[in-house]
Amino acid sequence: MAEGLRERKKRQTRQYISDVATGLFLERGFDAVTIAEIADAADVSVNTVYNYFPAKEDLFLDRSAGVVDRMSRWVRGRDVGESAARAVLRELRDEVEAVSPRVGLMDGYSRFMRVLHDAPTLRSRMWRLSQEVLENIEETLREEIGADPLDPRPTLVAGQINWVHQTVMGEIGRRMMAGGRPEEVSREMLDVLDDIEALLSDKVLNYAVRGA
């Protein structure tokens, strides 16, 4: 359905507030910026900010919802004859090879990571998000293969797939913070992905293969 005028204005307002807040966080740090200062800079009321973002952390991690179910989308969209783990590896390779901002391969990502590392509440929120990602991929695996509720294998494989994703994202962040350029980090991470795949067992690499 086409987006209505009211919905478009709300989306644009939300995006504008998020962009203003992110700029302030990158400039001064997360803890040093108040909601009142964000509202003033965005020329809206404090209540308006809270209407769109229930917590201050939501302003900085505005796009986290897309990250929580990203691997599940990849698994559900895997090709015929492709396993869950190989689908995630393929998608990650595509993102890395394309030097995609979605995996942190962009100028300025190191500033984002420094704000995150310097704010305990943001680190805590990121940990909770990582748990949601893990629970999401486990649920997806159980649905995709019709696993028995007591079957431990979806839990075990989900942990391995989540490790793959966390390792790639963590290494990208570390290398970008160390002064790496997006293109060079991309090349390095393709080798890391090969090493990661080599470390996974055949049971993980061949779990939840999509049938014809």
Side-chain angles (χ1 to χ4, degrees), residues 38-69:
I38 293 168
D40 184 61
D43 197 25
V44 298
S45 69
V46 169
N47 284 341
T48 297
V49 175
Y50 278 119
N51 284 341
Y52 287 99
F53 302 95
K56 185 179 168 184
E57 291 75 19
D58 297 325
L59 284 155
F60 189 74
L61 300 171
D62 183 28
R63 295 164 182 82
S64 60
V67 174
V68 167
D69 66 353

